[in-house]
Amino acid sequence: MSTAPKFGLNVPQSEAVIYLDGPCLVLAGAGSGKTRVITQKIAHLIEDRGYDPRTIAALTFTNKAALEMQERIAKLLKQPRQAKQLTVSTFHSLGVKILRQEAAGVGLKDRFSIMDSDDCFGLVQDLAITTDKQLIRRIQNSISLWKNGLIDPEDAIRDAQDEDEAQAARVFRSYVATLSAYQAVDFDDLIRLPVELFRNNDPIRDKWQRRLRYLLMDEYQDTNTCQYELVKLLVTGINKKPMFTAVGDDDQAIYAWRGASVENLKTLGVDFPDLKVIKLEQNYRSTTRILQAANAVISNNPKIFEKSLWSEHGLGEPIRVLGMQNDDQEAEQVAIMISADRFQRKNKWSDYAILYRGNHQARVIEQCLRKERIPYTISGGQSFFDKAEIKDIISYLRLIANDGDDPAFIRAVTTPKRGVGMATLEVLGAFSKQWNCSLFEAAFKGGIEAKLADRQLIPLREFCNFINNLESRASRPGPSGSGDNAAAVLDDMMKEINYESYLYDMFDDRAAQSKWQNVLEFTNWLKERGCGGKDKSGEEKNLLELTQMVALMSMLEGKDEEPDAVRMSTLHASKGLEFPHVFLVGVEEGILPHKGDPDASVETIGARVQEERRLMYVGITRAQRTLQITWCKQRKRAGEQVHCDVSRFIKEMALDVGDAAPMETEIISPKDRLASLKALLATPREVPPQ
């Protein structure tokens, strides 16, 4: 087979695209064009090798990445419509697809519910009989790690190391039983249950293997045990040649805390001895100096696979490391430097990113950006539609629009509480499974009276009648159009559920007030949209139409064009992104690398520092042209100034070695640099002609 470059790619990229003799691992360094390889390979499979697009699946970790990939593939195909026939999705979306079609095989009804993390939090809270939020989150996290590691409750109870673990394991056992009774699954089940199904049911596994002839996986280093097992079960079988391409980078494995295992890259070669490994080392993103610093840092980690990034983008500007007196000065300087640099280079605000290890570092930086009137966006911040109080109200709207929406039913009937407890819901769940109907429908089925006492049945049916009444009014167009009618129905619903009182009962006054303001903002916005918008120029909508609009908006949120603003982001949320100019802040011992548990074993501390080093590597390789690194000599902790040491990673960057060392003409003292920045900022700006 010719190794000459094809498709406008370099030699290793071309090789990765055309290799179809068995399993393939593409080790793609940061900025080496991995998405291009995946999309080009899919186009090659369809156009040159005659694959039916319906038999190809490409798996990634975010919906956004999946959407972008699908759009890019469509542009490469002679018939762009074929891109729609591909399975391009997250691991979890593929899990949903399998479960929807094979529900009976795992003891679920067709219309099972998917619980979100808030729903699951409430369930763990009830089972653990505690209001300690940290404890609930810890138990939730343990349950997630057990499920992702394919550990069942009995094994978790048996292997518990102390009483805390034993308590979490007991909650885990009850949690699994309760979800089963509710006919519901959580996020982790979306992969765990297909794995169990394929392990225990050869005909179903065989069917899905025939359906998916070729599998591609992005960000393979971020897979956990469960995801790897799903992949194995999909690509291996009797007389079946494993046909897949995994794309990953062991140097960017930064999700061990949520169960991801970089070992999966190592295991791949053991499970598939004929694995073809192709390295992509040419970087199309960054300058040589940035790559040299990244290579120098990561060389301190033990390697699964040796590789070294290189670039044709020239040497580039020196990387600057600035020590600051404290975090106030750090934030102030970063804001001034961005403002001056933008003015000097005539850049857009969106050319700049500020990256940090933890969200707690953002507040003081935000204050300074606002002071300097610099627009910014925060990655990974909570969307309005993700706020618990908004989701509570939306659950009622979802239920009015579709009484078969079981997660909405569970959330609405328990928030605020309406005399319907867990015992009632468990009976209802079992009954709905028996009749293969929704929870709502089950409440009116004959025979339920024998299973529930009056004190359980009456509040349940009162709630369902309340929803039915709202639904009959919600779909009614109203005399003057539907907007006024929608507003009236909404007001009556809010009055009936008495949500404001519930907030003040559950939270302190300040939090309750803030949450209630959000609810008012949301309901007023809905009413406004129902009446055709602010200027009443749009179409009027009834409540059902408004609910559909909200569902769509919450799903599509974040798809708007990127605003011209500085991007603030944690290092974890920045993975996969790139920016011309990057400011990496707070690079100190205790922050990056993160302090962690000082009493942990030597092995655990060693593994943690290695992961933090990979995080530093991710931060460095986000930068295309310039990289500025700051650290503080002192930082506020719990209201007190504490001494800080510069991070070991800065020394590891070896900035004064080889080509990376700044030339004499490039050396400028921090004092001189600041003076020139201030002078720039003081220069009057040109006023554009009116």
Side-chain angles (χ1 to χ4, degrees), residues 162-176:
D162 52 39
E163 182 43 40
D164 286 351
E165 241 179 72
Q167 184 203 5
R170 289 192 293 274
V171 171
F172 178 29
R173 181 168 60 191
S174 308
Y175 176 86
V176 170

Side-chain angles (χ1 to χ4, degrees), residues 397 400-401 470-490 525-533 538-551:
L397 299 179
I400 292 167
L470 288 173
E471 192 273 334
S472 67
R473 292 172 60 198
S475 52
R476 205 184 300 151
S480 61
S482 41
D484 291 341
N485 180 57
V489 177
L490 201 56
W525 173 79
L526 275 180
K527 290 175 191 175
E528 193 177 274
R529 294 301 289 260
C531 293
E539 280 184 29
E540 293 209 359
K541 288 181 169 63
N542 65 32
L543 200 58
L544 290 187
E545 291 166 329
L546 285 172
T547 303
Q548 286 158 349
M549 178 193 75
V550 168

Side-chain angles (χ1 to χ4, degrees), residues 268-302:
L268 212 51
V270 176
D271 290 341
F272 301 95
D274 58 343
L275 181 73
K276 171 86 169 171
V277 179
I278 300 168
K279 296 178 188 178
L280 306 184
E281 295 173 294
Q282 183 174 356
N283 173 289
Y284 292 92
R285 177 184 296 160
S286 309
T287 63
T288 297
R289 272 175 166 150
I290 290 167
L291 294 182
Q292 281 184 352
N295 287 334
V297 167
I298 208 68
S299 68
N300 292 276
N301 270 3

Side-chain angles (χ1 to χ4, degrees), residues 254 297 355-358 360-361 570-572 584-596 608-620 629-631 635 637 645-650 652-653:
I254 56 174
V297 167
L355 308 182
Y356 37 83
R357 175 65 180 82
H360 65 278
Q361 294 166 262
T570 62
L571 285 164
H572 282 99
L584 187 48
V585 301
V587 187
E588 300 136 34
E589 290 292 312
I591 292 183
L592 188 66
H594 196 275
K595 191 154 111 209
R608 180 178 54 73
V609 170
Q610 284 173 27
E611 173 128 341
E612 292 289 305
R613 189 173 283 117
R614 291 194 288 270
L615 200 53
M616 180 76 179
Y617 175 84
V618 165
I620 295 170
I629 294 174
T630 62
W631 67 282
R635 189 174 287 276
R637 291 221 181 104
D645 292 314
V646 62
S647 169
R648 69 193 77 181
F649 299 149
I650 289 180
E652 290 176 3
M653 288 167 77

Side-chain angles (χ1 to χ4, degrees), residues 42-56:
I42 292 171
H44 173 63
L45 285 166
I46 297 168
E47 302 284 13
D48 307 329
R49 303 302 291 263
Y51 273 70
D52 181 336
R54 287 168 298 191
T55 65
I56 302 170

Side-chain angles (χ1 to χ4, degrees), residues 284-409:
Y284 292 92
R285 177 184 296 160
S286 309
T287 63
T288 297
R289 272 175 166 150
I290 290 167
L291 294 182
Q292 281 184 352
N295 287 334
V297 167
I298 208 68
S299 68
N300 292 276
N301 270 3
K303 295 289 215 183
I304 301 177
F305 301 97
E306 281 296 334
K307 68 173 187 313
S308 185
L309 295 182
W310 59 277
S311 162
E312 291 179 343
H313 281 330
L315 193 59
E317 296 179 33
I319 295 170
R320 311 244 179 238
V321 178
L322 303 166
M324 304 290 179
Q325 288 307 318
N326 52 45
D327 40 355
D328 288 328
Q329 191 196 24
E330 178 182 56
E332 199 175 301
Q333 289 301 312
V334 166
I336 289 172
M337 283 155 71
I338 289 175
S339 194
D341 196 79
R342 175 182 170 268
F343 183 61
Q344 192 176 6
R345 297 181 199 262
K346 299 185 170 48
N347 279 341
K348 299 197 295 283
W349 291 117
S350 55
D351 291 334
Y352 297 86
I354 305 169
L355 308 182
Y356 37 83
R357 175 65 180 82
N359 278 313
H360 65 278
Q361 294 166 262
R363 192 180 60 83
V364 61
I365 299 169
E366 276 192 84
Q367 284 171 346
C368 285
L369 292 178
R370 283 201 295 269
K371 192 172 126 196
E372 292 291 327
R373 299 197 176 144
I374 297 173
Y376 65 90
T377 60
I378 297 188
S379 280
Q382 194 186 38
S383 104
F384 187 70
F385 291 111
D386 276 341
K387 294 183 187 293
E389 58 273 23
I390 304 302
K391 285 168 88 169
D392 287 342
I393 306 306
I394 289 174
S395 69
Y396 280 86
L397 299 179
R398 279 170 45 193
L399 196 55
I400 292 167
N402 169 21
D403 61 22
D405 188 336
D406 285 352
F409 179 93

